[in-house]
Amino acid sequence: MNNRMEKIVALCKRRGFIFQSSEIYGGIQGFWDYGPLGTELKRNVREAWYRDMVATHDELAVPPGAPSAFSMVGMETSIIMHPQVWKVSGHYDLFHDVKVDCRETGRRYRLDHLRGRWLYFVAALHPRHVTLPPERREELERHQHLFICLDPEKPEEDIHATVHRAAKLFGVRSKDAEALFGREDAWSSEPLEPLTRDMDLSRVVAPDAALPGTLTEPREFNLMLQTILGALGGEESKAFLRPETAQGMFVNFKNVLDSTRVKPPFGIAQVGKSFRNEITPRNFTFRSREFEQMEMEFFCRPDQSKEWYQYWRDRRFQWYLNLGITSDNLQLRDHAQEELAHYSVGTADIEYAFPFLEPGEYGELEGVAHRGDFDLRSHAEGKLVAGPEGCFVVETDANGQPKYKGSGKDLQYFDDQTRERFYPHVIEPAAGADRATLAFLCEAYHEDEAPDEKGAMQTRTVLKLHPRLAPIKAAVLPLIKKEGMPEKAAEIYRDLKRAGLAAYYDQQGAIGRRYRRQDEAGTPFCITIDGQTATDHTVTLRDRDTLEQIRVPVQEIVETVRQRVE
Ligand code: GAP
């Protein structure tokens, strides 16, 4: 993890945003606890999503860019569902990663994490053996844990020779090796991807292994976490913790239609925990085994699905910008055909340049998928597979019977105006609450210069969180603990709380130190009650980002904070 990310992780622990789960027992990989500030931050992220998707949605108006008006409803479905759900959805057979184990270190890796990476370092040398320009050496040192081809017999070999030796060793054509070495971006993994498809594992030096050839053959590994229901145990009692919240909404499609007045186009939104037995949970909360999703299934007429797909891609991208992610750090990337999930006829990822990634690399925040009629049809008819001409057909066993039977229920929509019966198509924006929270934290982290109590400039750490997301909206600070200041401060603190604004009262320590504490917590406003308050009934309002201080009448302070937060 690089320096900036280390500082963010340290701040998260120090200020009570995020702790490792079960830390006093040494922790458990892939699980995280949110502390007091983190809980508020993540709740605000969830609420911003739910308010935007459902609570403030106006179904009578056409939102800008939308093909028409539409309805939105919320749901909360169970984590454990009938096991058939996961067979029919494809998760039972297809939701796996390919893993390899290192016989030397006992570590386990995802094959796709090795693929595309190893050649990146083929041209690299072990820094101990070769004289390199400082920036290359730095680059190599940062990546020592990855895959380095080295020849301890030839310590003085220069980089050109090594590229060619590596190319030979890995069977890369000399022409390609030349192209690799000659390119400006020779050190980026992406253009090398096609060369890495036939990676010969016996020639890869695994991270932390001394020699090549310690990696096992790749094996498939299902990512669903299992549990046993009831007291009997055995295969019949096996159930799965959901790996996505989406299926709960698909299997309730008919219930929602029958119990409300919604009709396509409409969306069902849900926020809830999901679980995946990730082989390599890593990068702080980015890839966890227990995490929270914010998913919405949007049901529309098939002939309008492309327009809706476009609408949701753009709208969801804008959501992150509206909450403070800068466009430099955000990108919308369309999936290539071979990258699409088994159900998807089109997907775009919203990606963020997380600081633990290489410059120019992005990590997924949210996927917006056009799922066609895959989900409703499979839960009605049985597990689907790709058929002729891009259609999905029910997968059959050796006897021509459905491999996994659907519910047999009619999950089509009947339009009583047009008298049409059809499976609506689904557009799914699927976001991660933990990844969004992490991105907002990373974006907010700043170090700048600010004057201390004596006017000397000091480095301050500040979280410039969007006020809607900030765990505390305003801190109320009596300058000293006498002359009626604490009493006045307590009054303002209670008024803020009554108005639904998360307020914090702090009378401990020098005022400068109290400001610093709030800067680190991401509090956008500090209200200071001082000597002047008793005489002119005003307080100081300090802005976290600009450091500007203005005087505001006491009777207007709650409204001023409310307006600025919104
Ligand atoms: N229903 C579709 C679906 O689940 P996904 O891309 O696998 O799609 C959606 O997951 C989002 O859930 C991701 O974009 C990411 O934000 C979050 N997510 C997925 N796996 C995660 C993990 N192991 N840890 C944290 N967040 C994860």
Side-chain angles (χ1 to χ4, degrees), residues 100-105 109 113-115 117-119 121-122 124-126 128 143-152 165-166 169-170 199-216:
V100 287
D101 292 309
C102 175
R103 283 184 285 259
E104 186 180 323
T105 62
Y109 305 101
H113 285 168
L114 310 199
R115 206 183 283 277
R117 278 277 183 188
W118 71 270
L119 197 62
F121 295 96
V122 161
L125 305 162
H126 196 286
R128 275 198 310 262
H143 293 102
Q144 268 192 67
H145 60 290
L146 289 164
F147 310 94
I148 295 169
C149 158
L150 63 110
D151 185 352
R165 185 171 54 77
L169 178 66
F170 288 100
M199 171 164 59
D200 177 355
L201 284 175
S202 69
R203 291 175 161 186
V204 170
V205 184
D208 301 326
L211 293 167
T214 60
L215 292 170
T216 61

Side-chain angles (χ1 to χ4, degrees), residues 91 95 243-247 250 274-276 278 285-295 297 320 343 349-350 364-367 369 371 428-436:
H91 286 84
F95 193 56
E244 60 172 17
T245 61
Q247 298 303 323
F250 296 133
S274 291
F275 301 81
R276 295 182 190 176
E278 298 283 359
T285 58
F286 180 82
R287 191 176 305 286
S288 308
R289 289 177 166 146
E290 174 179 342
F291 55 95
E292 209 157 352
Q293 289 186 307
M294 309 185 289
E295 296 198 289
E297 309 305 329
Y320 294 95
Y343 53 75
D349 279 349
I350 300 170
E364 178 186 331
L365 276 180
E366 169 162 354
R371 300 176 67 121
E428 178 198 65
D434 306 85
R435 282 201 193 165

Side-chain angles (χ1 to χ4, degrees), residues 250-317:
F250 296 133
V251 300
N252 276 294
F253 171 70
K254 214 51 182 182
N255 280 338
V256 172
L257 278 186
D258 294 347
S259 60
T260 67
R261 294 176 53 218
V262 297
K263 51 186 202 270
F266 76 95
I268 308 179
Q270 155 157 245
V271 179
K273 290 267 181 159
S274 291
F275 301 81
R276 295 182 190 176
N277 196 5
E278 298 283 359
I279 300 172
T280 47
R282 61 179 182 170
N283 289 333
F284 202 23
T285 58
F286 180 82
R287 191 176 305 286
S288 308
R289 289 177 166 146
E290 174 179 342
F291 55 95
E292 209 157 352
Q293 289 186 307
M294 309 185 289
E295 296 198 289
M296 194 274 288
E297 309 305 329
F298 191 79
F299 301 92
C300 61
R301 292 183 61 91
D303 57 358
Q304 291 179 345
S305 60
K306 279 215 170 102
E307 283 169 89
W308 283 113
Y309 172 56
Q310 199 62 35
Y311 169 71
W312 282 110
R313 281 163 99 240
D314 298 345
R315 175 165 159 182
R316 290 301 306 147
F317 187 73

Side-chain angles (χ1 to χ4, degrees), residues 22-34:
S22 322
E23 195 187 64
I24 60 169
Y25 289 103
I28 171 166
Q29 244 201 326
F31 298 90
W32 300 93
D33 295 335
Y34 286 78

